[in-house]
Each structure stands twice: as structure tokens, then as C-alpha cells.
């Protein structure tokens, strides 16, 4: 396991009792959300949606870094649709994920090289590697 040598940022949140049916707020107040269990009638988001949003945003940043190194211009309408499943195997809960990456106008081999590089450098990808089933698809 790699150790951080220099902390660049620390995200701090406080989640109230109720967990998946509670609320979460960041220390700077920029995030202030209600939480609801997936599939419930609640009006809040859930941890799987938050994880998908964070991972897809980070993955786009990692593709930008890879594109700079490869001297490739990313299309302005690039997108990553992240799907994070919460499921069970026996009595245990697990996650699995798919990242559906759209890089319109880029040669498929170049797009594949970018997504491969991003998956190696994105901190979310690193955190999940070997821990959950992950599929990356070019769409």
C-alpha cells in the first residue's frame, strides 16, 4: 500500500444519525444533502450515487492528465456515466461498478489508451482495484 507523502486536500463531512436515511454536510458548507436508502420514497441521494459522481469526476480529471501527457486534445463533450451497484452475495453487501466513457471524435485506440491510463492513475480506480468488480466501457 502506498502512503501519502503530501496531503493536497482533505474532504470533511458530518453525517447525522440515520446513516442512509440521515443527512450529510461538509465542513465548508458547500455540501448539505439529505440521504435516502436506494429504492426508498425518500427525497435524498445515497452513497452509491455520491460515489459514482465522485469517481466519474475524478476519472475525467485523470483522462485530462493522460491527454496532456499524450499530447491529445479531449473533446469538449466528453462524459463518464458511472454506475455503482449495491448488491449481496449470501448475507454480505458488496459494490460493483461500470464506467461508461464517451470520447466523441477520438480514434478508438487513442480513447482506449486514455481510459487505460486514467484507470491506472485515478485515485478512485486505485482504491477499488482488486476490491470490487469494475468494468470500463468506451461508448
Amino acid at each position: 500500500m502506498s502512503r501519502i507523502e503530501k496531503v493536497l486536500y482533505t474532504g470533511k463531512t458530518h453525517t447525522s444519525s440515520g446513516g442512509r436515511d440521515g443527512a450529510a454536510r461538509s465542513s465548508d458548507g458547500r455540501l448539505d444533502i439529505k440521504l435516502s436508502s436506494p429504492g426508498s420514497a425518500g427525497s435524498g441521494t445515497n452513497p452509491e450515487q455520491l460515489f459514482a459522481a465522485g469517481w466519474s469526476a475524478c476519472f475525467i480529471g485523470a483522462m485530462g492528465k493522460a491527454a496532456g501527457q499524450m499530447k491529445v486534445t479531449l473533446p469538449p463533450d466528453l462524459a463518464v456515466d458511472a454506475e455503482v451497484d449495491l448488491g449481496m452475495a449470501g448475507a454480505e453487501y458488496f459494490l460493483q461498478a461500470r464506467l461508461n466513457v464517451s470520447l466523441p471524435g477520438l480514434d478508438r485506440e487513442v480513447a482506449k489508451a486514455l481510459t487505460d491510463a486514467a484507470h491506472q492513475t485515478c485515485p478512485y480506480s486505485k482504491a477499488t482495484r482488486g476490491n470490487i468488480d469494475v468494468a470500463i466501457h468506451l461508448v
Side-chain angles (χ1 to χ4, degrees), residues 27-74:
S27 61
D28 62 6
R30 291 182 181 184
L31 177 74
D32 191 357
I33 56 171
K34 292 179 184 177
L35 298 168
S36 300
S37 293
S40 74
S43 62
T45 188
N46 60 65
E48 291 72 30
Q49 290 172 333
L50 293 168
F51 188 67
W55 193 354
S56 58
C58 185
F59 199 85
I60 288 173
M63 284 193 304
K65 187 164 184 73
Q69 293 169 343
M70 295 171 59
K71 309 284 191 249
V72 172
T73 301
L74 290 175

mmCIF file of all heavy atoms in Angstrom, residues 27-74:
data_model
loop_
_atom_site.group_PDB
_atom_site.id
_atom_site.type_symbol
_atom_site.label_atom_id
_atom_site.label_comp_id
_atom_site.label_asym_id
_atom_site.label_seq_id
_atom_site.Cartn_x
_atom_site.Cartn_y
_atom_site.Cartn_z
ATOM 1 N N SER A 27 -17.684 20.311 5.968
ATOM 2 C CA SER A 27 -17.200 21.288 6.947
ATOM 3 C C SER A 27 -17.237 22.709 6.407
ATOM 4 O O SER A 27 -17.373 23.656 7.167
ATOM 5 C CB SER A 27 -15.786 20.929 7.398
ATOM 6 O OG SER A 27 -14.906 20.935 6.289
ATOM 7 N N ASP A 28 -17.145 22.867 5.071
ATOM 8 C CA ASP A 28 -17.184 24.210 4.487
ATOM 9 C C ASP A 28 -18.595 24.626 4.074
ATOM 10 O O ASP A 28 -18.808 25.724 3.573
ATOM 11 C CB ASP A 28 -16.231 24.319 3.293
ATOM 12 C CG ASP A 28 -16.581 23.385 2.143
ATOM 13 O OD1 ASP A 28 -17.642 22.717 2.192
ATOM 14 O OD2 ASP A 28 -15.770 23.312 1.190
ATOM 15 N N GLY A 29 -19.582 23.738 4.263
ATOM 16 C CA GLY A 29 -20.968 24.061 3.955
ATOM 17 C C GLY A 29 -21.341 23.946 2.489
ATOM 18 O O GLY A 29 -22.502 24.147 2.126
ATOM 19 N N ARG A 30 -20.408 23.604 1.615
ATOM 20 C CA ARG A 30 -20.717 23.507 0.187
ATOM 21 C C ARG A 30 -21.573 22.288 -0.145
ATOM 22 O O ARG A 30 -22.276 22.278 -1.137
ATOM 23 C CB ARG A 30 -19.435 23.470 -0.633
ATOM 24 C CG ARG A 30 -18.683 24.781 -0.609
ATOM 25 C CD ARG A 30 -17.463 24.701 -1.476
ATOM 26 N NE ARG A 30 -16.730 25.962 -1.437
ATOM 27 C CZ ARG A 30 -15.669 26.192 -2.163
ATOM 28 N NH1 ARG A 30 -15.194 25.267 -2.963
ATOM 29 N NH2 ARG A 30 -15.061 27.355 -2.075
ATOM 30 N N LEU A 31 -21.474 21.274 0.675
ATOM 31 C CA LEU A 31 -22.305 20.087 0.509
ATOM 32 C C LEU A 31 -23.238 20.012 1.707
ATOM 33 O O LEU A 31 -22.783 20.038 2.852
ATOM 34 C CB LEU A 31 -21.428 18.822 0.450
ATOM 35 C CG LEU A 31 -22.177 17.499 0.340
ATOM 36 C CD1 LEU A 31 -22.743 17.334 -1.074
ATOM 37 C CD2 LEU A 31 -21.241 16.337 0.659
ATOM 38 N N ASP A 32 -24.523 19.978 1.440
ATOM 39 C CA ASP A 32 -25.518 19.896 2.502
ATOM 40 C C ASP A 32 -26.698 19.128 1.919
ATOM 41 O O ASP A 32 -27.531 19.707 1.222
ATOM 42 C CB ASP A 32 -25.929 21.297 2.949
ATOM 43 C CG ASP A 32 -26.765 21.281 4.222
ATOM 44 O OD1 ASP A 32 -27.078 20.187 4.731
ATOM 45 O OD2 ASP A 32 -27.107 22.379 4.700
ATOM 46 N N ILE A 33 -26.725 17.812 2.167
ATOM 47 C CA ILE A 33 -27.679 16.963 1.474
ATOM 48 C C ILE A 33 -28.442 16.044 2.414
ATOM 49 O O ILE A 33 -27.969 15.694 3.485
ATOM 50 C CB ILE A 33 -26.973 16.087 0.410
ATOM 51 C CG1 ILE A 33 -25.869 15.264 1.059
ATOM 52 C CG2 ILE A 33 -26.446 16.935 -0.715
ATOM 53 C CD1 ILE A 33 -25.268 14.227 0.159
ATOM 54 N N LYS A 34 -29.634 15.677 1.960
ATOM 55 C CA LYS A 34 -30.415 14.645 2.614
ATOM 56 C C LYS A 34 -29.999 13.315 2.008
ATOM 57 O O LYS A 34 -29.681 13.246 0.822
ATOM 58 C CB LYS A 34 -31.910 14.861 2.372
ATOM 59 C CG LYS A 34 -32.469 16.079 3.050
ATOM 60 C CD LYS A 34 -33.949 16.207 2.727
ATOM 61 C CE LYS A 34 -34.508 17.479 3.326
ATOM 62 N NZ LYS A 34 -35.917 17.660 2.972
ATOM 63 N N LEU A 35 -30.034 12.278 2.818
ATOM 64 C CA LEU A 35 -29.720 10.937 2.351
ATOM 65 C C LEU A 35 -30.961 10.065 2.450
ATOM 66 O O LEU A 35 -31.751 10.213 3.380
ATOM 67 C CB LEU A 35 -28.596 10.326 3.187
ATOM 68 C CG LEU A 35 -27.262 11.077 3.133
ATOM 69 C CD1 LEU A 35 -26.321 10.559 4.212
ATOM 70 C CD2 LEU A 35 -26.630 10.950 1.762
ATOM 71 N N SER A 36 -31.120 9.181 1.486
ATOM 72 C CA SER A 36 -32.220 8.225 1.475
ATOM 73 C C SER A 36 -31.694 6.886 1.003
ATOM 74 O O SER A 36 -30.829 6.820 0.123
ATOM 75 C CB SER A 36 -33.335 8.672 0.526
ATOM 76 O OG SER A 36 -33.865 9.913 0.909
ATOM 77 N N SER A 37 -32.234 5.826 1.551
ATOM 78 C CA SER A 37 -31.849 4.487 1.114
ATOM 79 C C SER A 37 -32.263 4.285 -0.338
ATOM 80 O O SER A 37 -33.327 4.752 -0.758
ATOM 81 C CB SER A 37 -32.524 3.428 1.981
ATOM 82 O OG SER A 37 -32.018 3.482 3.292
ATOM 83 N N PRO A 38 -31.425 3.587 -1.131
ATOM 84 C CA PRO A 38 -31.791 3.320 -2.527
ATOM 85 C C PRO A 38 -33.138 2.619 -2.615
ATOM 86 O O PRO A 38 -33.433 1.719 -1.826
ATOM 87 C CB PRO A 38 -30.679 2.386 -3.016
ATOM 88 C CG PRO A 38 -29.529 2.629 -2.096
ATOM 89 C CD PRO A 38 -30.137 2.981 -0.775
ATOM 90 N N GLY A 39 -33.973 3.084 -3.538
ATOM 91 C CA GLY A 39 -35.271 2.465 -3.738
ATOM 92 C C GLY A 39 -36.348 2.899 -2.767
ATOM 93 O O GLY A 39 -37.500 2.491 -2.897
ATOM 94 N N SER A 40 -35.994 3.746 -1.795
ATOM 95 C CA SER A 40 -36.998 4.210 -0.837
ATOM 96 C C SER A 40 -37.743 5.415 -1.405
ATOM 97 O O SER A 40 -37.373 5.963 -2.435
ATOM 98 C CB SER A 40 -36.327 4.580 0.493
ATOM 99 O OG SER A 40 -35.629 5.805 0.363
ATOM 100 N N ALA A 41 -38.755 5.836 -0.703
ATOM 101 C CA ALA A 41 -39.536 7.000 -1.122
ATOM 102 C C ALA A 41 -38.875 8.308 -0.699
ATOM 103 O O ALA A 41 -39.384 9.383 -0.988
ATOM 104 C CB ALA A 41 -40.943 6.919 -0.539
ATOM 105 N N GLY A 42 -37.724 8.219 -0.034
ATOM 106 C CA GLY A 42 -37.044 9.424 0.431
ATOM 107 C C GLY A 42 -36.612 10.320 -0.708
ATOM 108 O O GLY A 42 -36.440 9.884 -1.846
ATOM 109 N N SER A 43 -36.399 11.597 -0.404
ATOM 110 C CA SER A 43 -36.055 12.579 -1.439
ATOM 111 C C SER A 43 -34.554 12.843 -1.545
ATOM 112 O O SER A 43 -34.133 13.658 -2.350
ATOM 113 C CB SER A 43 -36.786 13.894 -1.153
ATOM 114 O OG SER A 43 -36.354 14.420 0.100
ATOM 115 N N GLY A 44 -33.746 12.148 -0.752
ATOM 116 C CA GLY A 44 -32.315 12.409 -0.761
ATOM 117 C C GLY A 44 -31.553 11.491 -1.693
ATOM 118 O O GLY A 44 -32.100 10.574 -2.302
ATOM 119 N N THR A 45 -30.266 11.775 -1.803
ATOM 120 C CA THR A 45 -29.370 10.940 -2.594
ATOM 121 C C THR A 45 -28.897 9.771 -1.733
ATOM 122 O O THR A 45 -29.346 9.610 -0.602
ATOM 123 C CB THR A 45 -28.187 11.769 -3.134
ATOM 124 O OG1 THR A 45 -27.425 10.963 -4.053
ATOM 125 C CG2 THR A 45 -27.283 12.265 -2.029
ATOM 126 N N ASN A 46 -28.001 8.966 -2.260
ATOM 127 C CA ASN A 46 -27.480 7.840 -1.498
ATOM 128 C C ASN A 46 -25.982 7.695 -1.722
ATOM 129 O O ASN A 46 -25.425 8.305 -2.648
ATOM 130 C CB ASN A 46 -28.240 6.549 -1.845
ATOM 131 C CG ASN A 46 -28.127 6.189 -3.305
ATOM 132 O OD1 ASN A 46 -27.051 5.898 -3.795
ATOM 133 N ND2 ASN A 46 -29.252 6.207 -4.004
ATOM 134 N N PRO A 47 -25.300 6.933 -0.885
ATOM 135 C CA PRO A 47 -23.850 6.803 -1.005
ATOM 136 C C PRO A 47 -23.383 6.289 -2.367
ATOM 137 O O PRO A 47 -22.331 6.702 -2.856
ATOM 138 C CB PRO A 47 -23.484 5.817 0.106
ATOM 139 C CG PRO A 47 -24.556 6.000 1.129
ATOM 140 C CD PRO A 47 -25.804 6.256 0.334
ATOM 141 N N GLU A 48 -24.168 5.418 -2.995
ATOM 142 C CA GLU A 48 -23.763 4.893 -4.297
ATOM 143 C C GLU A 48 -23.767 5.992 -5.358
ATOM 144 O O GLU A 48 -22.858 6.074 -6.194
ATOM 145 C CB GLU A 48 -24.670 3.725 -4.706
ATOM 146 C CG GLU A 48 -24.476 2.478 -3.853
ATOM 147 C CD GLU A 48 -25.018 2.599 -2.429
ATOM 148 O OE1 GLU A 48 -26.003 3.347 -2.201
ATOM 149 O OE2 GLU A 48 -24.442 1.952 -1.533
ATOM 150 N N GLN A 49 -24.760 6.874 -5.327
ATOM 151 C CA GLN A 49 -24.795 7.990 -6.262
ATOM 152 C C GLN A 49 -23.639 8.956 -6.008
ATOM 153 O O GLN A 49 -23.006 9.437 -6.945
ATOM 154 C CB GLN A 49 -26.121 8.745 -6.162
ATOM 155 C CG GLN A 49 -27.298 7.959 -6.692
ATOM 156 C CD GLN A 49 -28.619 8.650 -6.398
ATOM 157 O OE1 GLN A 49 -28.754 9.405 -5.431
ATOM 158 N NE2 GLN A 49 -29.612 8.373 -7.227
ATOM 159 N N LEU A 50 -23.365 9.222 -4.745
ATOM 160 C CA LEU A 50 -22.262 10.125 -4.409
ATOM 161 C C LEU A 50 -20.926 9.544 -4.852
ATOM 162 O O LEU A 50 -20.073 10.248 -5.401
ATOM 163 C CB LEU A 50 -22.250 10.413 -2.909
ATOM 164 C CG LEU A 50 -23.440 11.212 -2.398
ATOM 165 C CD1 LEU A 50 -23.480 11.185 -0.873
ATOM 166 C CD2 LEU A 50 -23.386 12.634 -2.919
ATOM 167 N N PHE A 51 -20.739 8.250 -4.641
ATOM 168 C CA PHE A 51 -19.509 7.581 -5.059
ATOM 169 C C PHE A 51 -19.374 7.621 -6.575
ATOM 170 O O PHE A 51 -18.297 7.907 -7.103
ATOM 171 C CB PHE A 51 -19.499 6.138 -4.539
ATOM 172 C CG PHE A 51 -18.201 5.426 -4.754
ATOM 173 C CD1 PHE A 51 -17.055 5.816 -4.077
ATOM 174 C CD2 PHE A 51 -18.119 4.360 -5.627
ATOM 175 C CE1 PHE A 51 -15.856 5.157 -4.275
ATOM 176 C CE2 PHE A 51 -16.924 3.694 -5.832
ATOM 177 C CZ PHE A 51 -15.785 4.095 -5.156
ATOM 178 N N ALA A 52 -20.476 7.361 -7.289
ATOM 179 C CA ALA A 52 -20.458 7.402 -8.750
ATOM 180 C C ALA A 52 -20.098 8.801 -9.259
ATOM 181 O O ALA A 52 -19.305 8.952 -10.191
ATOM 182 C CB ALA A 52 -21.809 6.957 -9.311
ATOM 183 N N ALA A 53 -20.659 9.831 -8.649
ATOM 184 C CA ALA A 53 -20.367 11.205 -9.062
ATOM 185 C C ALA A 53 -18.899 11.555 -8.802
ATOM 186 O O ALA A 53 -18.229 12.137 -9.660
ATOM 187 C CB ALA A 53 -21.281 12.186 -8.326
ATOM 188 N N GLY A 54 -18.403 11.206 -7.630
ATOM 189 C CA GLY A 54 -17.007 11.493 -7.313
ATOM 190 C C GLY A 54 -16.045 10.761 -8.222
ATOM 191 O O GLY A 54 -15.074 11.337 -8.722
ATOM 192 N N TRP A 55 -16.307 9.483 -8.446
ATOM 193 C CA TRP A 55 -15.418 8.671 -9.276
ATOM 194 C C TRP A 55 -15.416 9.174 -10.716
ATOM 195 O O TRP A 55 -14.359 9.335 -11.330
ATOM 196 C CB TRP A 55 -15.839 7.216 -9.216
ATOM 197 C CG TRP A 55 -14.852 6.225 -9.768
ATOM 198 C CD1 TRP A 55 -13.663 6.482 -10.415
ATOM 199 C CD2 TRP A 55 -14.949 4.809 -9.706
ATOM 200 N NE1 TRP A 55 -13.039 5.308 -10.762
ATOM 201 C CE2 TRP A 55 -13.819 4.266 -10.332
ATOM 202 C CE3 TRP A 55 -15.911 3.959 -9.181
ATOM 203 C CZ2 TRP A 55 -13.612 2.898 -10.452
ATOM 204 C CZ3 TRP A 55 -15.704 2.599 -9.288
ATOM 205 C CH2 TRP A 55 -14.566 2.072 -9.919
ATOM 206 N N SER A 56 -16.594 9.453 -11.278
ATOM 207 C CA SER A 56 -16.639 9.908 -12.672
ATOM 208 C C SER A 56 -15.943 11.253 -12.839
ATOM 209 O O SER A 56 -15.228 11.473 -13.828
ATOM 210 C CB SER A 56 -18.076 9.952 -13.188
ATOM 211 O OG SER A 56 -18.892 10.791 -12.410
ATOM 212 N N ALA A 57 -16.102 12.157 -11.887
ATOM 213 C CA ALA A 57 -15.423 13.458 -11.965
ATOM 214 C C ALA A 57 -13.910 13.280 -11.880
ATOM 215 O O ALA A 57 -13.150 13.887 -12.639
ATOM 216 C CB ALA A 57 -15.917 14.375 -10.850
ATOM 217 N N CYS A 58 -13.465 12.448 -10.959
ATOM 218 C CA CYS A 58 -12.042 12.182 -10.799
ATOM 219 C C CYS A 58 -11.476 11.504 -12.051
ATOM 220 O O CYS A 58 -10.373 11.824 -12.503
ATOM 221 C CB CYS A 58 -11.816 11.311 -9.562
ATOM 222 S SG CYS A 58 -10.080 11.035 -9.184
ATOM 223 N N PHE A 59 -12.232 10.578 -12.633
ATOM 224 C CA PHE A 59 -11.790 9.849 -13.817
ATOM 225 C C PHE A 59 -11.602 10.805 -14.996
ATOM 226 O O PHE A 59 -10.638 10.686 -15.757
ATOM 227 C CB PHE A 59 -12.791 8.737 -14.172
ATOM 228 C CG PHE A 59 -12.221 7.678 -15.063
ATOM 229 C CD1 PHE A 59 -11.519 6.613 -14.524
ATOM 230 C CD2 PHE A 59 -12.395 7.737 -16.425
ATOM 231 C CE1 PHE A 59 -10.985 5.625 -15.339
ATOM 232 C CE2 PHE A 59 -11.876 6.757 -17.254
ATOM 233 C CZ PHE A 59 -11.166 5.700 -16.706
ATOM 234 N N ILE A 60 -12.497 11.784 -15.133
ATOM 235 C CA ILE A 60 -12.345 12.787 -16.195
ATOM 236 C C ILE A 60 -11.068 13.589 -15.968
ATOM 237 O O ILE A 60 -10.324 13.868 -16.907
ATOM 238 C CB ILE A 60 -13.591 13.693 -16.293
ATOM 239 C CG1 ILE A 60 -14.752 12.896 -16.885
ATOM 240 C CG2 ILE A 60 -13.299 14.942 -17.125
ATOM 241 C CD1 ILE A 60 -16.089 13.624 -16.882
ATOM 242 N N GLY A 61 -10.791 13.941 -14.723
ATOM 243 C CA GLY A 61 -9.545 14.644 -14.419
ATOM 244 C C GLY A 61 -8.327 13.806 -14.771
ATOM 245 O O GLY A 61 -7.340 14.310 -15.322
ATOM 246 N N ALA A 62 -8.386 12.513 -14.480
ATOM 247 C CA ALA A 62 -7.268 11.615 -14.802
ATOM 248 C C ALA A 62 -7.101 11.476 -16.314
ATOM 249 O O ALA A 62 -5.972 11.389 -16.819
ATOM 250 C CB ALA A 62 -7.488 10.249 -14.151
ATOM 251 N N MET A 63 -8.214 11.477 -17.058
ATOM 252 C CA MET A 63 -8.104 11.437 -18.519
ATOM 253 C C MET A 63 -7.475 12.719 -19.046
ATOM 254 O O MET A 63 -6.693 12.695 -19.990
ATOM 255 C CB MET A 63 -9.475 11.218 -19.165
ATOM 256 C CG MET A 63 -9.973 9.803 -19.063
ATOM 257 S SD MET A 63 -11.395 9.430 -20.132
ATOM 258 C CE MET A 63 -12.582 10.656 -19.623
ATOM 259 N N GLY A 64 -7.795 13.847 -18.416
ATOM 260 C CA GLY A 64 -7.187 15.114 -18.813
ATOM 261 C C GLY A 64 -5.683 15.100 -18.610
ATOM 262 O O GLY A 64 -4.931 15.570 -19.461
ATOM 263 N N LYS A 65 -5.248 14.538 -17.502
ATOM 264 C CA LYS A 65 -3.812 14.431 -17.233
ATOM 265 C C LYS A 65 -3.150 13.520 -18.268
ATOM 266 O O LYS A 65 -2.103 13.843 -18.820
ATOM 267 C CB LYS A 65 -3.580 13.912 -15.826
ATOM 268 C CG LYS A 65 -2.132 13.931 -15.392
ATOM 269 C CD LYS A 65 -2.038 13.775 -13.887
ATOM 270 C CE LYS A 65 -0.636 13.891 -13.385
ATOM 271 N NZ LYS A 65 -0.093 15.223 -13.407
ATOM 272 N N ALA A 66 -3.781 12.390 -18.561
ATOM 273 C CA ALA A 66 -3.245 11.459 -19.559
ATOM 274 C C ALA A 66 -3.219 12.103 -20.939
ATOM 275 O O ALA A 66 -2.249 11.939 -21.690
ATOM 276 C CB ALA A 66 -4.078 10.177 -19.584
ATOM 277 N N ALA A 67 -4.265 12.845 -21.280
ATOM 278 C CA ALA A 67 -4.319 13.513 -22.582
ATOM 279 C C ALA A 67 -3.183 14.515 -22.726
ATOM 280 O O ALA A 67 -2.564 14.617 -23.789
ATOM 281 C CB ALA A 67 -5.670 14.204 -22.764
ATOM 282 N N GLY A 68 -2.889 15.248 -21.654
ATOM 283 C CA GLY A 68 -1.771 16.197 -21.691
ATOM 284 C C GLY A 68 -0.447 15.496 -21.934
ATOM 285 O O GLY A 68 0.381 15.967 -22.717
ATOM 286 N N GLN A 69 -0.247 14.364 -21.280
ATOM 287 C CA GLN A 69 0.991 13.605 -21.463
ATOM 288 C C GLN A 69 1.091 13.001 -22.857
ATOM 289 O O GLN A 69 2.174 12.868 -23.406
ATOM 290 C CB GLN A 69 1.100 12.513 -20.398
ATOM 291 C CG GLN A 69 1.277 13.064 -19.004
ATOM 292 C CD GLN A 69 1.129 12.001 -17.918
ATOM 293 O OE1 GLN A 69 0.603 10.923 -18.132
ATOM 294 N NE2 GLN A 69 1.591 12.346 -16.715
ATOM 295 N N MET A 70 -0.066 12.641 -23.432
ATOM 296 C CA MET A 70 -0.090 12.014 -24.751
ATOM 297 C C MET A 70 -0.214 13.053 -25.873
ATOM 298 O O MET A 70 -0.257 12.690 -27.043
ATOM 299 C CB MET A 70 -1.258 11.026 -24.835
ATOM 300 C CG MET A 70 -1.133 9.842 -23.906
ATOM 301 S SD MET A 70 -2.661 8.833 -23.828
ATOM 302 C CE MET A 70 -2.867 8.347 -25.529
ATOM 303 N N LYS A 71 -0.314 14.334 -25.501
ATOM 304 C CA LYS A 71 -0.489 15.413 -26.482
ATOM 305 C C LYS A 71 -1.761 15.221 -27.311
ATOM 306 O O LYS A 71 -1.774 15.367 -28.523
ATOM 307 C CB LYS A 71 0.726 15.529 -27.410
ATOM 308 C CG LYS A 71 2.064 15.613 -26.711
ATOM 309 C CD LYS A 71 2.281 16.982 -26.114
ATOM 310 C CE LYS A 71 3.706 17.150 -25.657
ATOM 311 N NZ LYS A 71 3.874 17.208 -24.254
ATOM 312 N N VAL A 72 -2.851 14.864 -26.618
ATOM 313 C CA VAL A 72 -4.151 14.643 -27.239
ATOM 314 C C VAL A 72 -5.117 15.674 -26.674
ATOM 315 O O VAL A 72 -5.102 15.954 -25.474
ATOM 316 C CB VAL A 72 -4.674 13.216 -26.918
ATOM 317 C CG1 VAL A 72 -6.104 13.034 -27.381
ATOM 318 C CG2 VAL A 72 -3.772 12.161 -27.521
ATOM 319 N N THR A 73 -5.958 16.237 -27.539
ATOM 320 C CA THR A 73 -6.982 17.174 -27.095
ATOM 321 C C THR A 73 -8.270 16.399 -26.823
ATOM 322 O O THR A 73 -8.773 15.695 -27.701
ATOM 323 C CB THR A 73 -7.252 18.250 -28.163
ATOM 324 O OG1 THR A 73 -6.024 18.958 -28.412
ATOM 325 C CG2 THR A 73 -8.316 19.228 -27.704
ATOM 326 N N LEU A 74 -8.757 16.523 -25.603
ATOM 327 C CA LEU A 74 -10.012 15.858 -25.253
ATOM 328 C C LEU A 74 -11.183 16.594 -25.896
ATOM 329 O O LEU A 74 -11.182 17.827 -25.962
ATOM 330 C CB LEU A 74 -10.204 15.823 -23.740
ATOM 331 C CG LEU A 74 -9.283 14.910 -22.950
ATOM 332 C CD1 LEU A 74 -9.518 15.082 -21.458
ATOM 333 C CD2 LEU A 74 -9.491 13.458 -23.357
#
